[in-house]
Amino acid sequence: MSKTMKAMVYHGANDIRFEERPRPEILQPTDAVIRLTKTTICGTDLGIWKGKNPEIQDTAVAKTGLFDGRILGHEGIGIVEEVGSAVKNFKKGDKVIISCVSRCGTCENCQKQLYAHCQNEGGWIMGYMIDGTHAEYVRTPFADTSLYLLPEGLNEEVAVFLSDVLPTSHEIGVQYGNVKPGDTIAIVGTGPIGMGCLLTAQFYSPAQIIAVDMDDNRLAMAKELGATHTINSAKEDAVQRILEITGGRGVDCAMEAVGVEATWDICQNVVKEGGHIANVGVHGKSVNFELNKLWIKNLTITTGLVNTNTTGMLLKTCCSGKLPLEKLATHHFKFSEFEKAYDVFKHASDENAMKVMINYE
Ligand SMILES: NC(=O)c1ccc[n+]([C@@H]2O[C@H](COP(=O)([O-])OP(=O)(O)OC[C@H]3O[C@@H](n4cnc5c(N)ncnc54)[C@H](O)[C@@H]3O)[C@@H](O)[C@H]2O)c1
Ligand SMILES: [Zn+2]
Ligand SMILES: [Zn+2]
């Protein structure tokens, strides 16, 4: 069998290449190597491509003195090709959902369920600090606690949202945002993450869900998926509109699902006293934090990387058919068309794309 494979490799800001790389091998007894059958591109991958995360290169250079590229991607489904000697729950041939976060389960942070910050070779490292899923094969550390057996009958176009999008939206948006029955919430950014927030927020029956974006197609989909109000912030003053909708009071929870100052600014200006701002977006630059106005409001402001501690629960919800995520899978590409898939996702608004699926077989 060939020792190399094709992969999408990040070499630095605005420089990704579809090129030949060595096939991953088992490095630790707890590892598995997965042959991908489906993957997707995340807004975070786009952010990395655009240069939001220079720490990828900086960390590699600090550790080894050089950076020879990083395979992107942290979402996907595949077939177990090989497992390390300590892997108990999976075997060659199993079809699995790959979680974007791996966990050792024993370090101080894992014992606090803060798996995002596993102190061993875990946390969110795939497609970031180690090679990821935008390839024919990927090595997943701590396979026993980082893979989920794909249930028979579950639509794979739904299952792939369990790698990252759904747990992130639910944990970092909705749970950290403390969404409760009767709440009024604002979701700023209706990409896949914002849509995941919109769908999982409805587990908790908020009374009003205001979706904000600059893309009318995405806002139309948000309406279809349960938003009670939509605001195009490129055409209207989002803060003013949210205050009008809420009778001047503001929202109980504002979720930031973009990662830029303009959307953080909307959130900090619309949350009412006692409310929550749940920041989900990955920010590449600092923002203006109006503590001079906010200190008095008894707010809770949360940030975070997904822990994936609700993935199992979300998997069951997906199996029940209650989350129509397949609607988000707007574009499909073959593995050989990976560069085209990135290009379409980069121009998502013009292409009317929400989530691009890459199928291998
Ligand atoms: N915290 C975590 O663990 C975690 C995990 C996954 C993704 N993320 C981050 O979540 C964010 C969203 O991810 P995604 O995949 O949905 O990204 P995406 O790029 O598909 O969606 C972003 C949306 O924001 C909208 N937008 C951009 N600028 C805007 C503005 N000024 N005002 C209003 N809307 C604007 C875009 O039209 C788009 O619909 C990204 O920053 C991503 O890196 C965080
Ligand atoms: Zn992601
Ligand atoms: Zn750990």
Side-chain angles (χ1 to χ4, degrees), residues 42-45 74-75 164-165 193:
C42 176
T44 304
D45 303 314
H74 48 267
E75 303 178 356
D164 171 12
V165 175
I193 293 286

Side-chain angles (χ1 to χ4, degrees), residues 103-107 110 118-120:
R103 46 175 108 158
C104 78
T106 58
C107 71
C110 280
C118 172
Q119 293 154 285
N120 291 314

Side-chain angles (χ1 to χ4, degrees), residues 102-111 114-115 117-123 142:
S102 347
R103 46 175 108 158
C104 78
T106 58
C107 71
E108 184 188 338
N109 282 338
C110 280
Q111 291 200 21
L114 207 53
Y115 306 124
H117 299 282
C118 172
Q119 293 154 285
N120 291 314
E121 200 196 14
F142 302 112

